Short mmCIF file of all heavy atoms in Angstrom, two decimals:
data_model
loop_
_atom_site.label_atom_id
_atom_site.label_comp_id
_atom_site.label_asym_id
_atom_site.label_seq_id
_atom_site.Cartn_x
_atom_site.Cartn_y
_atom_site.Cartn_z
N VAL A 1 54.36 55.56 145.40
CA VAL A 1 55.64 56.30 145.26
C VAL A 1 55.49 57.47 144.43
O VAL A 1 54.82 57.42 143.33
CB VAL A 1 56.60 55.16 144.59
CG1 VAL A 1 58.00 55.85 144.38
CG2 VAL A 1 56.84 54.02 145.46
N ARG A 2 56.09 58.57 144.82
CA ARG A 2 56.03 59.68 144.02
C ARG A 2 57.40 60.05 143.42
O ARG A 2 58.40 59.86 144.04
CB ARG A 2 55.46 60.90 144.89
CG ARG A 2 56.49 61.32 145.98
CD ARG A 2 55.98 62.49 146.83
NE ARG A 2 57.06 62.90 147.54
CZ ARG A 2 57.44 62.40 148.79
NH1 ARG A 2 56.87 61.34 149.18
NH2 ARG A 2 58.43 62.90 149.42
N ILE A 3 57.46 60.59 142.29
CA ILE A 3 58.64 61.10 141.67
C ILE A 3 58.83 62.46 141.96
O ILE A 3 57.98 63.30 141.56
CB ILE A 3 58.63 60.86 140.01
CG1 ILE A 3 58.41 59.36 139.76
CG2 ILE A 3 59.93 61.24 139.45
CD1 ILE A 3 59.38 58.40 140.16
N ASP A 4 60.01 62.89 142.56
CA ASP A 4 60.16 64.22 142.93
C ASP A 4 61.05 65.03 142.00
O ASP A 4 60.82 66.20 141.65
CB ASP A 4 60.91 64.29 144.35
CG ASP A 4 60.11 63.76 145.43
OD1 ASP A 4 58.81 63.87 145.41
OD2 ASP A 4 60.68 63.11 146.41
N ALA A 5 61.97 64.27 141.29
CA ALA A 5 62.89 65.10 140.36
C ALA A 5 63.56 64.08 139.39
O ALA A 5 63.77 62.99 139.75
CB ALA A 5 63.87 65.85 141.12
N MET A 6 63.82 64.50 138.31
CA MET A 6 64.63 63.82 137.21
C MET A 6 65.80 64.65 136.65
O MET A 6 65.43 65.88 136.55
CB MET A 6 63.71 63.28 136.09
CG MET A 6 62.53 62.41 136.48
SD MET A 6 63.25 60.81 137.10
CE MET A 6 63.41 59.90 135.52
N GLU A 7 66.86 64.08 136.55
CA GLU A 7 68.06 64.97 136.12
C GLU A 7 68.90 64.11 135.20
O GLU A 7 69.19 62.98 135.52
CB GLU A 7 68.80 65.41 137.32
CG GLU A 7 70.01 66.11 137.05
CD GLU A 7 70.86 66.43 138.29
OE1 GLU A 7 70.30 66.24 139.48
OE2 GLU A 7 71.97 66.72 138.20
N ALA A 8 69.36 64.67 134.18
CA ALA A 8 70.30 64.04 133.22
C ALA A 8 71.64 64.37 133.58
O ALA A 8 71.96 65.60 133.71
CB ALA A 8 69.96 64.30 131.75
N ARG A 9 72.59 63.37 133.67
CA ARG A 9 73.98 63.56 134.01
C ARG A 9 74.75 62.73 133.02
O ARG A 9 74.75 61.49 133.11
CB ARG A 9 74.37 63.17 135.43
CG ARG A 9 73.83 64.02 136.46
CD ARG A 9 74.27 63.65 137.82
NE ARG A 9 73.48 64.15 138.84
CZ ARG A 9 73.52 63.64 140.19
NH1 ARG A 9 74.25 62.70 140.46
NH2 ARG A 9 72.70 64.23 141.05
N GLY A 10 75.34 63.39 132.00
CA GLY A 10 76.03 62.61 130.99
C GLY A 10 74.96 61.76 130.24
O GLY A 10 73.95 62.23 129.87
N GLY A 11 75.22 60.46 130.16
CA GLY A 11 74.25 59.58 129.49
C GLY A 11 73.39 58.88 130.47
O GLY A 11 72.74 57.86 130.09
N THR A 12 73.34 59.40 131.75
CA THR A 12 72.58 58.79 132.73
C THR A 12 71.39 59.61 133.23
O THR A 12 71.53 60.83 133.30
CB THR A 12 73.50 58.48 133.93
OG1 THR A 12 74.49 57.62 133.49
CG2 THR A 12 72.77 57.71 135.00
N LEU A 13 70.18 59.02 133.42
CA LEU A 13 69.07 59.72 134.00
C LEU A 13 69.03 59.46 135.55
O LEU A 13 68.96 58.27 135.96
CB LEU A 13 67.86 59.24 133.27
CG LEU A 13 66.55 60.03 133.61
CD1 LEU A 13 66.66 61.50 133.33
CD2 LEU A 13 65.36 59.43 132.88
N ILE A 14 69.00 60.43 136.28
CA ILE A 14 68.95 60.28 137.79
C ILE A 14 67.52 60.72 138.25
O ILE A 14 67.09 61.84 137.87
CB ILE A 14 70.00 61.11 138.54
CG1 ILE A 14 71.47 60.89 137.86
CG2 ILE A 14 70.03 60.92 140.03
CD1 ILE A 14 72.02 59.52 138.23
N GLY A 15 66.95 59.92 139.00
CA GLY A 15 65.55 60.35 139.56
C GLY A 15 65.60 60.17 141.10
O GLY A 15 66.23 59.46 141.70
N SER A 16 64.78 61.12 141.67
CA SER A 16 64.52 61.13 143.12
C SER A 16 63.04 60.85 143.40
O SER A 16 62.17 61.42 142.66
CB SER A 16 64.93 62.44 143.68
OG SER A 16 66.28 62.68 143.50
N ALA A 17 62.80 59.91 144.17
CA ALA A 17 61.31 59.55 144.48
C ALA A 17 61.15 59.36 145.95
O ALA A 17 62.26 59.21 146.75
CB ALA A 17 61.01 58.27 143.71
N GLY A 18 59.98 59.34 146.37
CA GLY A 18 59.68 59.08 147.83
C GLY A 18 58.40 58.31 147.98
O GLY A 18 57.52 58.32 147.06
N GLY A 19 58.26 57.75 149.09
CA GLY A 19 57.10 56.99 149.46
C GLY A 19 57.33 56.13 150.72
O GLY A 19 58.47 56.09 151.24
N PRO A 20 56.17 55.58 151.25
CA PRO A 20 56.34 54.72 152.42
C PRO A 20 57.14 53.50 152.11
O PRO A 20 57.13 52.96 151.01
CB PRO A 20 54.84 54.42 152.73
CG PRO A 20 54.07 54.75 151.50
CD PRO A 20 54.91 55.65 150.66
N LEU A 21 57.85 53.12 153.14
CA LEU A 21 58.69 51.93 153.05
C LEU A 21 57.95 50.67 152.49
O LEU A 21 58.44 49.95 151.58
CB LEU A 21 59.40 51.56 154.37
CG LEU A 21 60.37 50.38 154.31
CD1 LEU A 21 61.47 50.64 153.31
CD2 LEU A 21 60.90 50.20 155.81
N ALA A 22 56.76 50.50 152.92
CA ALA A 22 55.90 49.38 152.50
C ALA A 22 55.79 49.42 150.97
O ALA A 22 55.62 48.26 150.34
CB ALA A 22 54.63 49.33 153.23
N ALA A 23 55.66 50.53 150.33
CA ALA A 23 55.48 50.63 149.00
C ALA A 23 56.78 50.40 148.20
O ALA A 23 56.68 50.17 147.02
CB ALA A 23 54.92 51.94 148.58
N MET A 24 57.82 50.47 148.85
CA MET A 24 59.17 50.19 148.19
C MET A 24 59.57 48.80 148.03
O MET A 24 60.47 48.49 147.24
CB MET A 24 60.20 51.06 148.93
CG MET A 24 60.00 52.51 149.08
SD MET A 24 59.78 53.39 147.48
CE MET A 24 61.35 53.23 146.74
N PHE A 25 59.06 47.82 148.72
CA PHE A 25 59.32 46.48 148.57
C PHE A 25 58.97 46.00 147.16
O PHE A 25 57.92 46.30 146.73
CB PHE A 25 58.63 45.61 149.62
CG PHE A 25 59.21 45.87 151.03
CD1 PHE A 25 58.40 46.47 152.03
CD2 PHE A 25 60.44 45.44 151.34
CE1 PHE A 25 58.90 46.68 153.26
CE2 PHE A 25 60.99 45.67 152.60
CZ PHE A 25 60.27 46.36 153.63
N GLY A 26 59.90 45.44 146.51
CA GLY A 26 59.77 44.94 145.15
C GLY A 26 60.13 46.02 144.05
O GLY A 26 60.11 45.79 142.95
N TYR A 27 60.43 47.29 144.58
CA TYR A 27 60.69 48.39 143.66
C TYR A 27 61.92 48.01 142.81
O TYR A 27 61.96 48.34 141.54
CB TYR A 27 60.85 49.66 144.48
CG TYR A 27 61.27 50.89 143.55
CD1 TYR A 27 60.30 51.42 142.76
CD2 TYR A 27 62.57 51.32 143.51
CE1 TYR A 27 60.70 52.55 142.00
CE2 TYR A 27 62.94 52.35 142.63
CZ TYR A 27 61.91 53.01 141.92
OH TYR A 27 62.27 54.04 141.09
N GLY A 28 63.01 47.56 143.49
CA GLY A 28 64.22 47.32 142.72
C GLY A 28 64.05 46.27 141.59
O GLY A 28 64.58 46.40 140.52
N THR A 29 63.23 45.20 141.93
CA THR A 29 63.09 44.17 140.91
C THR A 29 62.27 44.77 139.78
O THR A 29 62.52 44.61 138.56
CB THR A 29 62.27 43.01 141.62
OG1 THR A 29 63.08 42.58 142.67
CG2 THR A 29 61.97 41.94 140.61
N ASP A 30 61.22 45.54 140.07
CA ASP A 30 60.40 46.16 139.08
C ASP A 30 61.21 47.08 138.16
O ASP A 30 61.08 47.11 136.99
CB ASP A 30 59.18 46.87 139.76
CG ASP A 30 58.21 47.31 138.71
OD1 ASP A 30 57.84 46.66 137.81
OD2 ASP A 30 57.73 48.62 138.86
N LEU A 31 62.05 47.92 138.87
CA LEU A 31 62.89 48.87 138.08
C LEU A 31 63.89 48.21 137.14
O LEU A 31 63.96 48.48 135.93
CB LEU A 31 63.66 49.71 139.12
CG LEU A 31 64.63 50.76 138.60
CD1 LEU A 31 63.78 51.85 137.81
CD2 LEU A 31 65.42 51.44 139.64
N ARG A 32 64.48 47.12 137.59
CA ARG A 32 65.39 46.35 136.70
C ARG A 32 64.62 45.74 135.64
O ARG A 32 65.17 45.63 134.50
CB ARG A 32 66.17 45.35 137.48
CG ARG A 32 67.36 45.99 138.36
CD ARG A 32 68.30 45.00 138.98
NE ARG A 32 67.58 44.11 139.86
CZ ARG A 32 67.30 44.45 141.16
NH1 ARG A 32 67.59 45.62 141.67
NH2 ARG A 32 66.67 43.53 141.97
N SER A 33 63.49 45.17 135.90
CA SER A 33 62.66 44.57 134.80
C SER A 33 62.32 45.57 133.73
O SER A 33 62.38 45.18 132.62
CB SER A 33 61.36 43.95 135.41
OG SER A 33 61.65 42.92 136.33
N ARG A 34 61.85 46.66 134.15
CA ARG A 34 61.44 47.75 133.19
C ARG A 34 62.55 48.38 132.41
O ARG A 34 62.36 48.95 131.35
CB ARG A 34 60.71 48.81 133.86
CG ARG A 34 59.36 48.40 134.51
CD ARG A 34 58.69 49.55 135.42
NE ARG A 34 57.54 49.05 136.01
CZ ARG A 34 56.23 49.41 135.66
NH1 ARG A 34 56.14 50.34 134.73
NH2 ARG A 34 55.30 48.98 136.38
N THR A 35 63.80 48.15 132.96
CA THR A 35 64.99 48.84 132.23
C THR A 35 65.92 47.82 131.69
O THR A 35 67.07 48.00 131.32
CB THR A 35 65.70 49.73 133.18
OG1 THR A 35 66.22 48.94 134.30
CG2 THR A 35 64.92 50.82 133.66
N GLN A 36 65.40 46.51 131.52
CA GLN A 36 66.12 45.53 131.02
C GLN A 36 67.46 45.24 131.80
O GLN A 36 68.47 44.86 131.21
CB GLN A 36 66.46 45.58 129.52
CG GLN A 36 65.12 45.71 128.75
CD GLN A 36 65.31 46.01 127.20
OE1 GLN A 36 66.42 46.43 126.87
NE2 GLN A 36 64.35 45.67 126.40
N GLY A 37 67.37 45.33 133.11
CA GLY A 37 68.50 45.14 133.97
C GLY A 37 69.57 46.28 134.01
O GLY A 37 70.58 46.03 134.63
N ARG A 38 69.30 47.44 133.47
CA ARG A 38 70.32 48.35 133.40
C ARG A 38 70.32 49.38 134.55
O ARG A 38 71.25 50.01 134.88
CB ARG A 38 70.27 49.28 132.13
CG ARG A 38 70.51 48.38 130.90
CD ARG A 38 70.42 49.15 129.56
NE ARG A 38 68.92 49.56 129.56
CZ ARG A 38 68.29 49.75 128.50
NH1 ARG A 38 68.95 49.65 127.22
NH2 ARG A 38 67.04 50.00 128.34
N ALA A 39 69.10 49.47 135.17
CA ALA A 39 68.92 50.48 136.35
C ALA A 39 69.34 49.94 137.66
O ALA A 39 69.32 48.70 137.87
CB ALA A 39 67.46 50.94 136.40
N THR A 40 69.80 50.79 138.57
CA THR A 40 70.07 50.47 139.94
C THR A 40 69.33 51.41 140.82
O THR A 40 68.80 52.50 140.32
CB THR A 40 71.51 50.58 140.32
OG1 THR A 40 72.03 51.95 140.00
CG2 THR A 40 72.35 49.59 139.38
N HIS A 41 69.19 51.18 142.13
CA HIS A 41 68.62 52.12 142.97
C HIS A 41 69.25 51.96 144.43
O HIS A 41 69.88 51.03 144.74
CB HIS A 41 67.06 51.86 143.04
CG HIS A 41 66.59 50.71 143.91
ND1 HIS A 41 66.88 49.41 143.59
CD2 HIS A 41 66.04 50.76 145.16
CE1 HIS A 41 66.43 48.67 144.60
NE2 HIS A 41 65.93 49.39 145.55
N SER A 42 68.96 52.93 145.14
CA SER A 42 69.28 52.95 146.60
C SER A 42 68.22 53.66 147.39
O SER A 42 67.58 54.55 146.82
CB SER A 42 70.70 53.55 146.83
OG SER A 42 70.73 54.97 146.48
N MET A 43 68.07 53.30 148.55
CA MET A 43 67.13 53.93 149.44
C MET A 43 67.73 54.56 150.64
O MET A 43 68.73 54.03 151.13
CB MET A 43 66.00 52.93 149.93
CG MET A 43 65.17 52.44 148.84
SD MET A 43 63.72 51.47 149.60
CE MET A 43 64.56 50.05 150.03
N HIS A 44 67.28 55.70 151.07
CA HIS A 44 67.71 56.43 152.24
C HIS A 44 66.54 56.93 153.06
O HIS A 44 65.68 57.42 152.40
CB HIS A 44 68.68 57.61 151.77
CG HIS A 44 69.74 57.20 150.93
ND1 HIS A 44 70.98 56.74 151.39
CD2 HIS A 44 69.90 57.20 149.52
CE1 HIS A 44 71.78 56.43 150.42
NE2 HIS A 44 71.10 56.74 149.26
N PHE A 45 66.70 56.82 154.35
CA PHE A 45 65.69 57.36 155.20
C PHE A 45 65.58 58.88 155.00
O PHE A 45 66.53 59.57 154.91
CB PHE A 45 65.96 57.02 156.72
CG PHE A 45 64.99 57.66 157.59
CD1 PHE A 45 63.74 57.13 157.91
CD2 PHE A 45 65.40 58.89 158.27
CE1 PHE A 45 62.83 57.68 158.69
CE2 PHE A 45 64.44 59.48 159.07
CZ PHE A 45 63.16 58.81 159.30
N PHE A 46 64.33 59.37 154.96
CA PHE A 46 64.08 60.82 154.73
C PHE A 46 63.47 61.45 156.02
O PHE A 46 63.90 62.31 156.64
CB PHE A 46 63.25 61.04 153.51
CG PHE A 46 62.95 62.54 153.32
CD1 PHE A 46 63.89 63.44 153.11
CD2 PHE A 46 61.63 62.99 153.47
CE1 PHE A 46 63.63 64.73 152.82
CE2 PHE A 46 61.42 64.34 153.25
CZ PHE A 46 62.34 65.22 152.92
N GLN A 47 62.33 60.88 156.37
CA GLN A 47 61.63 61.42 157.55
C GLN A 47 60.52 60.50 158.03
O GLN A 47 59.98 59.66 157.31
CB GLN A 47 60.95 62.74 157.25
CG GLN A 47 59.76 62.69 156.26
CD GLN A 47 59.24 63.98 155.87
OE1 GLN A 47 59.92 65.06 156.04
NE2 GLN A 47 58.09 64.12 155.30
N TYR A 48 60.10 60.62 159.25
CA TYR A 48 58.98 59.90 159.85
C TYR A 48 57.80 60.76 159.53
O TYR A 48 57.78 61.98 159.57
CB TYR A 48 59.05 59.69 161.36
CG TYR A 48 60.10 58.75 161.80
CD1 TYR A 48 61.30 59.13 162.32
CD2 TYR A 48 59.86 57.43 161.65
CE1 TYR A 48 62.22 58.17 162.81
CE2 TYR A 48 60.78 56.46 162.06
CZ TYR A 48 61.93 56.85 162.52
OH TYR A 48 62.85 55.95 162.96
N GLU A 49 56.62 60.02 159.29
CA GLU A 49 55.33 60.70 159.19
C GLU A 49 54.32 59.90 159.82
O GLU A 49 54.51 58.76 159.91
CB GLU A 49 55.03 60.79 157.68
CG GLU A 49 55.89 61.87 156.86
CD GLU A 49 55.33 61.98 155.42
OE1 GLU A 49 54.20 61.50 155.11
OE2 GLU A 49 56.09 62.60 154.69
N PRO A 50 53.25 60.56 160.37
CA PRO A 50 52.22 59.75 161.06
C PRO A 50 51.55 58.74 159.99
O PRO A 50 51.38 59.08 158.79
CB PRO A 50 51.08 60.81 161.36
CG PRO A 50 51.94 62.11 161.32
CD PRO A 50 52.89 62.00 160.39
N ALA A 51 51.22 57.60 160.52
CA ALA A 51 50.56 56.69 159.68
C ALA A 51 49.12 57.02 159.46
O ALA A 51 48.54 57.67 160.32
CB ALA A 51 50.61 55.22 160.38
N PRO A 52 48.58 56.70 158.27
CA PRO A 52 47.21 56.91 158.02
C PRO A 52 46.27 56.26 159.13
O PRO A 52 46.68 55.20 159.72
CB PRO A 52 46.86 56.30 156.71
CG PRO A 52 48.19 56.24 155.96
CD PRO A 52 49.21 56.04 157.07
N GLU A 53 45.15 56.88 159.52
CA GLU A 53 44.36 56.41 160.57
C GLU A 53 44.03 54.87 160.41
O GLU A 53 44.03 54.15 161.37
CB GLU A 53 43.14 57.21 160.75
CG GLU A 53 42.39 56.84 161.88
CD GLU A 53 41.37 57.95 162.39
OE1 GLU A 53 41.53 59.15 162.01
OE2 GLU A 53 40.40 57.52 163.11
N GLN A 54 43.66 54.53 159.24
CA GLN A 54 43.31 53.11 158.91
C GLN A 54 44.38 52.20 159.26
O GLN A 54 44.20 51.15 159.95
CB GLN A 54 42.82 52.99 157.50
CG GLN A 54 42.49 51.47 157.20
CD GLN A 54 42.08 51.20 155.77
OE1 GLN A 54 42.13 52.21 154.96
NE2 GLN A 54 41.73 50.06 155.42
N VAL A 55 45.66 52.47 158.84
CA VAL A 55 46.74 51.69 159.29
C VAL A 55 46.98 51.59 160.68
O VAL A 55 47.24 50.55 161.27
CB VAL A 55 47.97 52.19 158.60
CG1 VAL A 55 49.28 51.45 158.97
CG2 VAL A 55 47.94 52.14 157.07
N SER A 56 46.87 52.81 161.37
CA SER A 56 47.06 52.81 162.81
C SER A 56 46.02 51.86 163.56
O SER A 56 46.37 51.13 164.46
CB SER A 56 46.85 54.20 163.39
OG SER A 56 47.82 55.04 162.84
N GLU A 57 44.77 52.00 163.06
CA GLU A 57 43.71 51.13 163.72
C GLU A 57 44.06 49.62 163.45
O GLU A 57 43.74 48.87 164.42
CB GLU A 57 42.40 51.49 163.03
CG GLU A 57 41.90 52.89 163.47
CD GLU A 57 40.61 53.36 162.82
OE1 GLU A 57 40.19 52.63 161.85
OE2 GLU A 57 40.14 54.41 163.02
N GLU A 58 44.62 49.29 162.34
CA GLU A 58 44.88 47.80 162.05
C GLU A 58 45.96 47.40 162.90
O GLU A 58 45.92 46.25 163.54
CB GLU A 58 45.17 47.74 160.53
CG GLU A 58 44.11 47.83 159.60
CD GLU A 58 44.56 47.76 158.09
OE1 GLU A 58 45.63 47.40 157.86
OE2 GLU A 58 43.68 48.16 157.31
N VAL A 59 46.97 48.24 163.10
CA VAL A 59 48.12 47.80 163.91
C VAL A 59 47.64 47.67 165.37
O VAL A 59 47.93 46.71 166.06
CB VAL A 59 49.33 48.89 163.86
CG1 VAL A 59 50.22 48.63 164.95
CG2 VAL A 59 49.91 48.85 162.51
N VAL A 60 46.90 48.62 165.98
CA VAL A 60 46.42 48.52 167.34
C VAL A 60 45.53 47.28 167.40
O VAL A 60 45.61 46.54 168.48
CB VAL A 60 45.62 49.79 167.73
CG1 VAL A 60 44.85 49.62 169.03
CG2 VAL A 60 46.49 50.98 167.74
N ALA A 61 44.54 47.01 166.49
CA ALA A 61 43.80 45.85 166.60
C ALA A 61 44.60 44.58 166.63
O ALA A 61 44.21 43.56 167.40
CB ALA A 61 42.73 45.79 165.51
N ARG A 62 45.61 44.48 165.79
CA ARG A 62 46.47 43.28 165.73
C ARG A 62 47.20 43.12 167.08
O ARG A 62 47.29 41.94 167.56
CB ARG A 62 47.44 43.43 164.59
CG ARG A 62 48.17 42.14 164.16
CD ARG A 62 49.11 42.20 162.95
NE ARG A 62 48.48 42.99 161.91
CZ ARG A 62 49.14 44.03 161.27
NH1 ARG A 62 50.37 44.32 161.49
NH2 ARG A 62 48.50 44.64 160.30
N VAL A 63 47.76 44.15 167.68
CA VAL A 63 48.41 44.06 168.91
C VAL A 63 47.56 43.64 170.02
O VAL A 63 47.83 42.87 170.93
CB VAL A 63 49.15 45.43 169.23
CG1 VAL A 63 49.65 45.43 170.65
CG2 VAL A 63 50.28 45.69 168.24
N LEU A 64 46.26 44.06 169.98
CA LEU A 64 45.30 43.81 171.06
C LEU A 64 44.60 42.49 170.82
O LEU A 64 43.78 42.01 171.56
CB LEU A 64 44.30 44.89 171.24
CG LEU A 64 44.82 46.30 171.61
CD1 LEU A 64 43.70 47.34 171.65
CD2 LEU A 64 45.57 46.22 173.04
N GLY A 65 44.89 41.86 169.72
CA GLY A 65 44.32 40.54 169.31
C GLY A 65 42.85 40.57 168.93
O GLY A 65 42.15 39.67 169.08
N ARG A 66 42.46 41.61 168.29
CA ARG A 66 41.11 41.83 167.91
C ARG A 66 40.89 41.42 166.49
O ARG A 66 41.67 41.56 165.52
CB ARG A 66 40.63 43.22 167.96
CG ARG A 66 40.53 43.66 169.47
CD ARG A 66 40.09 45.13 169.57
NE ARG A 66 40.23 45.50 170.95
CZ ARG A 66 40.17 46.81 171.30
NH1 ARG A 66 39.88 47.76 170.42
NH2 ARG A 66 40.25 47.09 172.52
#
């Protein structure tokens, strides 16, 4: 997950981040744990990108039963 921007609004810190969906699982739990339950988050689709070649090969092998 990459942090793209941080912005202070009043007494709140707003961050923008991005990354593959697979890396986002567990993010909310981790964020709340690190902020003692004070943080919230939301996710929004941004764009499709090609999968890394290793991931593509694993998916094809799984589909073909290899």
Side-chain angles (χ1 to χ4, degrees):
V1 176
R2 67 179 190 281
I3 304 295
D4 295 326
M6 297 293 275
E7 175 186 345
R9 292 186 198 161
T12 303
L13 186 61
I14 308 292
S16 296
L21 181 59
M24 300 304 292
F25 290 110
Y27 177 76
T29 302
D30 189 43
L31 181 64
R32 283 188 299 279
S33 294
R34 292 173 186 252
T35 61
Q36 300 175 342
R38 294 177 296 208
T40 61
H41 80 288
S42 63
M43 290 191 288
H44 304 276
F45 174 79
F46 178 65
Q47 67 185 18
Y48 287 108
E49 290 185 11
E53 189 167 337
Q54 179 182 359
V55 172
S56 298
E57 290 171 358
E58 289 174 12
V59 170
V60 170
R62 195 175 316 134
V63 169
L64 297 177
R66 294 182 187 165

